[in-house]
């Protein structure tokens, strides 16, 4: 039966992306690793350790009944907010490249904004499940969740991590939309958000430069340079790619070759087949996630499944858009593939939860089928 | 809101996202596959570098024990510009004035060089010293860059200038040893085809071609800077003292033919070769042919002695200094009624020598002229050698034999004339002159070795011995070359005071004063020729050239550790 295969399909999609990610990371990060750490496998080794941890977390989450997260939603939200505040305190949060995004805990560093992605999804799902029909009200359906969303986004924005801010904002709004908030209210809010986006852009010369470079690359050669290198990478890759390890662009032409712009290296080394494949895999993940959501009987599980799915898919969409020059540059990693421990653990934790929801939903389905007769009687009664 | 509503909203969202992803897929396909082929090629070629790897031109080292470097390369930079880029960023004027100040060039001149927006390359200044280049590059002007280059330097300046020659701005040998040994000195240029990474550093793994340059080999000369110095000092003094047009001298080792010194005046500073005038650059010692005058009497008398048709004591009627032969009057400088062959030579009697040559006859005289390699290049390893002028015997007129015998109607180079004296000193063996002792590659391989080479033996050993005795008497009291005598040494020599030919005759005032000689007579080690062009007011070889010979020889025998008579080991390396 098709349905029974969905959890496996999710796992398969994620596994393909993970394997591709590790393989391409080995190539993309080698030049920087060798240059800065005298070890071509420097980033690969670290990512493999993170992957081990992340897979363990994933397996754990897949075994924990997802209803637990509903009970823990509020503490998780508070903890996440706490971390987002802590990271902003100078001396505790570590500033790298002008952003205060990292908490150093001994040998590992964590990115609270990554944790916030999952935390907001759990919190929103719990809230929407709790409110039920009251989501139609202005207060419960919009103002309160919007305040919470504003708090999270505001703190992340202060780091600043513009990409994650936009991502969490978008996913939060879409969850409200799916939760039943009136569309015209959301429309107004979306416009306000857009206005806020514009203000934020104009406020910051770096961001303004990025947007202007996106609109008029000829006027901002320095900003457009990186994007140009990214586009060149795809062009060099052509149909079948230059071959694994053969990237030119990773040799300091492309910035962030192993993190935010890793898709360009995939494109350069493996060609259009691989990059379109990645896009389609994320689309497939969306289809699976939405399917799971539809099959989930309880509202919390449904919201959670959609939220987690959206978090991954929209992040991937933004990343691909940025790397292909279809959207203004903002730093956001490609889920499952870009280098980065926090991002990987949170992404796989989300997948673990999604798999758990899927299993329960499909078990429920199977129960349904077992009690086909009862179901029929029920319908007959109501009819 | 019902489940159905929710599902519809979910479906709308799924559709929106699917459309967005479809857009991204289109974008990806576009970037991957639909890039303009020319743009793709330019991207493909990005960072590709093709550049020659310059190699160091070999050094030239002189032949004294010290083995000093007389020519070497110094690393330099050419300062270059991208005029197109400068024009694009409106920097041409600013750069021209700021660089002009640093380089000491007018900004107008620099602007003239840089104001070519259509060009991508122009030299701002060539061969700029390090410190100046760093000063300029620290300004970090876009469109200004450097290219490594080398500058040929000659530490001794004008010393040995004619023998060394120079290599031009492109590093190609253009004169002297620099030219003749260019193939050894230049090495071979390397070639690199590779790629640069985003930081403009080479990616070693991407090298397409990497041909290592072959470093130029070092050339070791026989020229000894100390002997050279003695010669040059003597010439400088002579130029001043005799208000001469020019002067040149060569010092040669008799047994081997090695040239120990070769100098000309006027000369020039090799480091400033671009400003040298042609007359300064002429290597007169090998490149100027002139009538040798009396020095040439050696050939006819040696020939006659070798043929056994005269003896040294045989008496010739020297006609009281005036003799008409075939309707032409021949005069002696000092009139004598009669002289022995020895005295004909010692007193340099034209009449006596002419009579000896006539007795020898055209054919036999010509044989000896050829035997001493008159009219042929000596083959010395220097460019610009002249062969001299010798009319073939078939075209001789009646008086030719009498005139050629006294060095008229024949033209030689100083090196050829020295070769004649050298052969006399060397038991009749004519040695090929050379000044490249060896060429050694950077890895120590000897690529070329100069070795003594006998070009012929025009006269027998016993004839040579007789000629040495005759030549020794020239510097003895009563001879023409007494001023060439050196205390403690027996010096063999011959003076020459040739009137310079003018249109239709000979000049009364312009002479070539020459002294060619060797010492010590019994075991000759070195031969020296000195020629002074248009000395004033004295003009005879005996008065002008012989003292210079003496000045050089006196120092040279001490420096070379030549003992007055006994055979010594060859001094010097």
């Amino acid at each position: 039966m098709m349905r029974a295969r969905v959890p496996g399909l999710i796992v398969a999609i994620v596994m393909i992306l993970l394997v591709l990610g590790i393989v391409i990371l080995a190539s993309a990060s080698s030049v920087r690793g060798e240059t800065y750490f005298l070890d071509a496998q420097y980033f690969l080794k670290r990512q493999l350790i993170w992957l081990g941890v992340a897979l363990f977390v994933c397996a754990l989450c897949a075994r924990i009944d997802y209803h637990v997260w509903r009970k823990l939603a509020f503490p998780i939200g508070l903890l996440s907010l706490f971390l987002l505040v802590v990271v902003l305190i100078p001396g505790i949060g570590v500033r790298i490249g002008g952003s205060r995004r990292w908490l150093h805990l001994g040998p590992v560093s964590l990115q609270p904004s990554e944790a916030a992605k999952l935390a907001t999804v759990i919190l929103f799902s719990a809230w929407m499940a709790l409110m039920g029909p009251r989501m139609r009200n202005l207060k419960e359906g919009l103002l309160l969740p919007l305040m919470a969303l504003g708090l999270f986004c505001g703190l992340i924005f202060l780091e600043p991590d513009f990409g994650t801010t936009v991502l969490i904002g978008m996913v939060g709004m879409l969850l409200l939309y799916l939760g039943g908030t009136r569309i015209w209210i959301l429309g107004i809010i979306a416009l306000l958000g857009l206005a806020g986006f514009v203000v934020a852009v104009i406020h910051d010369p770096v961001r303004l430069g990025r947007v202007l470079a996106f609109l008029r690359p000829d006027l901002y050669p320095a900003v457009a340079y990186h994007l140009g290198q990214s586009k060149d990478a795809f062009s060099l890759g052509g149909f079948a790619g230059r071959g694994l390890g053969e990237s030119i662009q990773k040799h300091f032409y492309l910035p962030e070759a192993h993190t935010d712009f890793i898709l360009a290296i995939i494109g350069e080394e493996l060609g259009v087949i691989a990059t379109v494949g990645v896009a389609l895999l994320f689309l497939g993940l969306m289809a699976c996630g939405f399917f799971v959501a539809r099959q989930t009987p309880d509202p919390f599980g449904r919201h959670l499944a959609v939220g987690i799915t959206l978090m991954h898919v929209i992040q991937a969409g933004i990343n691909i858009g940025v790397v292909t020059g279809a959207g203004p540059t903002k730093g956001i990693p490609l889920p499952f593939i870009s280098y980065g421990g926090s991002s990987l653990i949170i992404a796989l934790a989300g997948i673990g939860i999604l798999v758990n929801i899927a299993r329960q939903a499909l078990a429920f389905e199977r129960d349904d089928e077992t009690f086909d007769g009862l179901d029929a009687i029920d319908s007959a009664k109501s009819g | 809101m019902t489940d159905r509503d929710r599902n519809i909203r979910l479906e709308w969202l799924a559709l929106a996202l699917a459309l967005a992803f479809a857009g991204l897929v289109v974008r990806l396909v576009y970037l991957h596959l639909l890039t303009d082929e020319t743009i793709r090629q330019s991207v493909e070629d990005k960072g590709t570098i093709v550049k020659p790897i310059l190699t160091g031109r070999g050094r030239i080292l002189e032949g004294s024990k010290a083995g000093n470097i007389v020519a070497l390369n110094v690393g330099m930079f050419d300062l270059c510009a991208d005029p197109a880029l400068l024009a694009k960023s409106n920097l041409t004027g600013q750069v021209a004035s700021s660089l002009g100040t640093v380089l000491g060039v007018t900004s107008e001149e620099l602007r003239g060089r840089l104001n070519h927006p259509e060009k991508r390359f122009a030299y701002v200044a060539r061969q700029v010293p390090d410190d100046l280049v760093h000063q300029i590059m620290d300004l970090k002007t876009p469109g200004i860059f450097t290219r490594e280059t080398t500058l040929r330097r000659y530490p001794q300046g004008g010393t040995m200038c004619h023998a060394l020659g120079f290599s031009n701005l492109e590093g190609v040998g253009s004169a002297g040893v620099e030219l003749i040994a260019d193939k050894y000195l230049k090495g071979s240029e390397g070639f690199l085809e590779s790629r640069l990474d985003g930081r403009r550093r080479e990616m070693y793994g991407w090298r397409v071609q990497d041909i290592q340059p072959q470093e130029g080999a070092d050339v070791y000369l026989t020229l000894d800077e100390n002997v050279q110095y003695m010669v040059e000092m003597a010439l400088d003094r002579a130029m001043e003292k005799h208000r001469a047009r020019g002067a040149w001298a060569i010092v040669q080792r008799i047994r081997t033919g090695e040239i120990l010194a070769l100098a000309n005046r006027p000369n020039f500073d090799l480091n400033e070769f671009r400003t040298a005038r042609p007359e300064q650059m002429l290597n007169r010692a090998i490149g100027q042919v002139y009538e040798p005058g009396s020095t040439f009497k050696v050939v006819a008398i040696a020939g006659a002695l070798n043929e056994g048709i005269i003896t040294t004591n045989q008496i010739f009627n020297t006609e009281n200094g005036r003799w008409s032969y075939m309707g032409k009057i021949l005069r002696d400088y000092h009139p004598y009624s009669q002289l022995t062959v020895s005295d004909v030579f010692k007193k340099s009697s034209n009449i006596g020598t002419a009579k000896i040559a006539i007795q020898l006859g055209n054919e036999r005289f010509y044989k000896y002229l050829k035997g001493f390699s008159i009219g042929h290049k000596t083959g010395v390893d220097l460019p610009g050698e002249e062969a001299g002028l010798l009319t073939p015997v078939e075209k001789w007129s009646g008086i030719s034999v009498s005139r050629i015998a006294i060095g008229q109607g024949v033209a030689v180079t100083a090196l050829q004339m020295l070769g004649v004296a050298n052969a006399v000193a060397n038991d009749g063996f004519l040695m090929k002159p050379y000044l490249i002792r060896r060429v050694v590659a950077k890895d120590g391989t000897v690529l070329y070795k100069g070795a003594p080479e006998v070009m012929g033996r025009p006269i027998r050993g016993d004839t040579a011995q007789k000629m040495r005795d005759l030549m020794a008497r020239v510097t003895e009291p009563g001879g023409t070359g007494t001023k060439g005598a050196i205390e403690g040494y027996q010096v063999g020599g011959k003076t020459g005071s040739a009137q310079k030919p003018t249109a239709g005759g000979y000049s009364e005032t312009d002479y070539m004063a020459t002294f060619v000689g060797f010492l010590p007579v019994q075991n000759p080690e070195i031969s020296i020729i000195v020629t002074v062009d248009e000395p004033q007011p004295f003009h005879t070889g005996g008065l002008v050239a012989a003292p210079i010979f003496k000045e050089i020889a006196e120092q040279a025998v001490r420096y070379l550790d030549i003992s007055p008579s006994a055979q010594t080991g060859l001094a010097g390396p």
Side-chain angles (χ1 to χ4, degrees), chain A residues 35 177 180-181 183 229 231-232 234-236 238 242 246 248-249 251-253 267 275 286 294 324, chain B residues 1 6 9 11 17 21 27-28 31-33 35 40 43-44 46-47 195-199 203 206:
Chain A
T35 306
Y177 158 74
T181 309
I183 288 175
Q229 295 300 339
K231 290 181 187 171
D232 285 352
F234 291 110
S235 175
L236 285 170
R242 297 179 61 88
E246 296 297 312
I248 295 171
Q249 298 298 85
H251 291 274
F252 293 100
Y253 283 105
T275 50
M286 183 197 75
R294 285 190 64 154
T324 57
Chain B
M1 187 166 178
R6 281 201 194 88
R9 283 194 172 192
E11 276 152 19
L17 281 174
F21 268 79
R27 177 77 182 158
L28 281 170
L31 286 179
H32 270 294
L33 303 176
T35 316
R40 183 200 291 268
V43 171
E44 186 73 44
K46 176 179 58 181
R195 290 188 92 122
L196 300 177
D197 69 14
R199 302 170 305 170
M203 304 194 289
W206 292 70

Side-chain angles (χ1 to χ4, degrees), chain B residues 7-64:
Chain B
N7 285 342
I8 288 171
R9 283 194 172 192
L10 194 62
E11 276 152 19
W12 275 114
L13 180 59
L15 182 66
L17 281 174
L19 282 175
F21 268 79
L24 291 176
V25 166
V26 168
R27 177 77 182 158
L28 281 170
V29 170
Y30 170 77
L31 286 179
H32 270 294
L33 303 176
L34 300 176
T35 316
D36 186 346
E37 197 51 42
T38 58
I39 294 172
R40 183 200 291 268
Q41 196 55 46
S42 76
V43 171
E44 186 73 44
D45 293 343
K46 176 179 58 181
T48 299
I49 48 161
V50 175
K51 67 169 186 182
I53 309 170
L54 292 179
T55 174
R57 190 173 172 81
R59 302 171 301 170
I60 303 179
L61 299 94
E62 54 90 25
S64 75

Side-chain angles (χ1 to χ4, degrees), chain B residues 217 394 513:
Chain B
E394 314 85 66

